[in-house]
Amino acid sequence: MSKTTARKPKTARKASAKIRYESTGRNLTSQAGLIPVIKFLDALGFSGLFGSQVHHQRADNAQYQLVDAVFLVLVGLLGGARSISQCVVLWSDGVLQRVAGWLRLPDESTLGRLFKELTERHISELETLVHAVRKRVWARALRAGRSRIALQCQKWVDADSSVKTVYGRQQGTAKGYNPHKRGAPSYHPLLAFCTDTKEILQAWLRTGSAYTSNGIVEFMKQLLAQLPLIKVKLKGLAQLLAQQHWTPIRRQPGWEQCEFQYQANGWRHPRFFVAVRCRMECADDHPQGELLALEHYESFCYVTTEPLSPWQAHRTYGERATSETWIEEAKSQMGLAHLKTDNFLANAALFQCAVLAYNTARWMALLSGNATLKRWEPQTIRIFLIRVAGKLLTGANQLRIKLPRQHLHPKVWEDWLALSQPA
């Protein structure tokens, strides 16, 4: 009689080890990746630029200045904070405090009071600050050979508006166009993006009842940028396009094109328009589908000063203009128009802080020269580069950060750390 022995099954996991907890760790941080952000802003001379652009003076006995509040919120948003209180909590990290030079931190109520001191002039100056920091970044990118955007005579700008639903009673909100939550009060910010760098060139916080194009002329005048190609949003556009003479586009089955001059109300002279449309099939469940064949088109219209055919204009816009994606990134991943108080001007200032936070991530990617980092969304940067464990080591009058030996993206991480060094 043969004797059989049971084989021990293979396993991928053994019994967990016994753990003893000790609360003796010192100088630890879970967000070591924010340290390069802090040092990057220092290397740009952010505080000095702020002082030259934003003129806000507090009483002599005030412990905190506006630059302190903006810096605190800016870094907090990059770290994932979604409210003023969360910004304060993030800065409770002793390592970040030590690296940034904080001697004491303001609480939530102090920050709220400080932002509520601001006037419309201060909001305008914060917008100017965004331009000033961008100019310095672009100059630095040019010197480093990372980008020639500063030398380009024409820059592609993608302007669009968005809706941010608001819950509760915040000053400046109103009911308006809100496809996500009909009838709910909202803000209706207006933004312009640089398609080359994905950064926000300029942004205004507007009440929710503002029409999409309200203030666009003044907005673009302030931006001082050329717009060689703009996607058109006009009332009655469908009727205007229906009146045009359409011709088939060669080698593009189902597509047609047209060109025409048009002068809208308030315009000093007519402008040149190009448009394309694609024939769409009528839905099977259309109530008249069985009675007659209906033609339905999806149309795209542009006003341009470039020598482009309608199809070329459509292709060019499709390749360059993706501001809807960037707006959603800024809103959902960087808290754009999310931090709110009961004061509209305070909210407008917090809105500009979010613009600076979003742009800081874009500026660091631009100056890194790392193609992967340029593609990453803010949340991806937060997961892989910001939320990194570290230990602060002191000695010999020097601060050192001990980091994990291995990183999932070593080259991106190396380039991220290098951004903390002076130019």
Side-chain angles (χ1 to χ4, degrees), residues 210-225:
Y211 181 66
T212 300
S213 59
N214 279 9
I216 185 64
V217 175
E218 293 76 14
F219 181 83
M220 296 312 299
K221 282 182 178 178
Q222 181 178 330
L223 184 55
L224 298 177

Side-chain angles (χ1 to χ4, degrees), residues 44-46 49 131-141 143:
L44 277 180
F46 178 80
L49 274 176
H131 293 291
V133 180
R134 183 187 69 250
K135 182 178 179 181
R136 185 164 292 185
V137 170
W138 284 6
R140 183 173 169 183
R143 290 196 304 270

Side-chain angles (χ1 to χ4, degrees), residues 127-260:
E127 295 167 7
T128 304
L129 174 67
V130 176
H131 293 291
V133 180
R134 183 187 69 250
K135 182 178 179 181
R136 185 164 292 185
V137 170
W138 284 6
R140 183 173 169 183
L142 181 63
R143 290 196 304 270
R146 302 298 192 191
S147 171
R148 295 178 61 83
I149 182 66
L151 296 182
Q152 293 179 10
C153 297
Q154 287 189 336
K155 299 175 180 61
W156 290 79
V157 178
D158 196 359
D160 205 347
S161 62
S162 183
V163 175
K164 179 64 177 178
T165 303
V166 174
Y167 302 93
R169 296 183 177 180
Q170 274 82 34
Q171 189 181 47
T173 61
K175 294 181 181 179
Y177 172 72
N178 191 339
H180 309 294
K181 197 169 182 65
R182 296 182 184 276
S186 63
Y187 288 124
H188 197 176
L190 185 61
L191 304 103
F193 288 83
C194 176
T195 58
D196 291 284
T197 63
K198 304 181 185 178
E199 68 191 274
I200 299 174
L201 294 174
Q202 186 166 280
W204 285 1
L205 185 66
R206 305 181 302 173
T207 182
S209 60
Y211 181 66
T212 300
S213 59
N214 279 9
I216 185 64
V217 175
E218 293 76 14
F219 181 83
M220 296 312 299
K221 282 182 178 178
Q222 181 178 330
L223 184 55
L224 298 177
Q226 299 294 326
L227 295 178
L229 184 64
I230 313 169
K231 189 176 180 181
V232 177
K233 288 186 178 180
L234 291 174
K235 284 186 176 180
L237 180 60
Q239 292 81 359
L240 177 64
L241 293 179
Q243 300 169 7
Q244 307 308 317
H245 175 65
W246 294 86
T247 59
I249 302 177
R250 291 184 59 191
R251 294 191 290 274
Q252 300 297 333
W255 285 87
E256 297 177 334
Q257 63 186 354
C258 71
E259 301 176 353
F260 59 96

Side-chain angles (χ1 to χ4, degrees), residues 184-373:
S186 63
Y187 288 124
H188 197 176
L190 185 61
L191 304 103
F193 288 83
C194 176
T195 58
D196 291 284
T197 63
K198 304 181 185 178
E199 68 191 274
I200 299 174
L201 294 174
Q202 186 166 280
W204 285 1
L205 185 66
R206 305 181 302 173
T207 182
S209 60
Y211 181 66
T212 300
S213 59
N214 279 9
I216 185 64
V217 175
E218 293 76 14
F219 181 83
M220 296 312 299
K221 282 182 178 178
Q222 181 178 330
L223 184 55
L224 298 177
Q226 299 294 326
L227 295 178
L229 184 64
I230 313 169
K231 189 176 180 181
V232 177
K233 288 186 178 180
L234 291 174
K235 284 186 176 180
L237 180 60
Q239 292 81 359
L240 177 64
L241 293 179
Q243 300 169 7
Q244 307 308 317
H245 175 65
W246 294 86
T247 59
I249 302 177
R250 291 184 59 191
R251 294 191 290 274
Q252 300 297 333
W255 285 87
E256 297 177 334
Q257 63 186 354
C258 71
E259 301 176 353
F260 59 96
Q261 295 276 342
Y262 179 72
Q263 183 172 355
N265 291 334
W267 291 4
R268 294 181 179 178
H269 52 80
R271 287 181 170 84
F272 180 66
F273 286 73
V274 295
V276 296
R277 68 182 185 183
C278 178
R279 185 180 291 108
M280 310 294 291
E281 299 213 352
C282 188
D284 294 337
D285 58 352
H286 195 282
Q288 298 181 1
E290 297 179 356
L291 300 178
L292 67 158
L294 295 177
E295 285 189 334
H296 172 65
Y297 293 94
E298 184 177 8
S299 303
F300 306 87
C301 185
Y302 309 89
V303 56
T304 179
T305 58
E306 294 288 304
L308 300 173
S309 70
W311 184 249
Q312 288 173 331
H314 180 61
R315 290 291 301 272
T316 301
Y317 184 85
E319 293 170 358
R320 305 296 297 271
T322 54
S323 65
E324 293 87 352
T325 302
W326 303 331
I327 288 175
E328 286 307 311
E329 287 181 9
K331 285 167 55 179
S332 62
Q333 302 179 30
M334 202 61 81
L336 189 72
H338 192 85
L339 273 64
K340 295 178 286 291
T341 70
D342 58 358
N343 181 281
F344 178 74
L345 290 179
N347 295 344
L350 292 167
F351 179 75
Q352 294 301 324
C353 291
V355 171
L356 283 166
Y358 178 85
N359 281 351
T360 297
R362 294 301 186 197
W363 290 330
M364 293 180 74
L366 177 69
L367 287 170
S368 73
N370 189 292
T372 301
L373 183 52

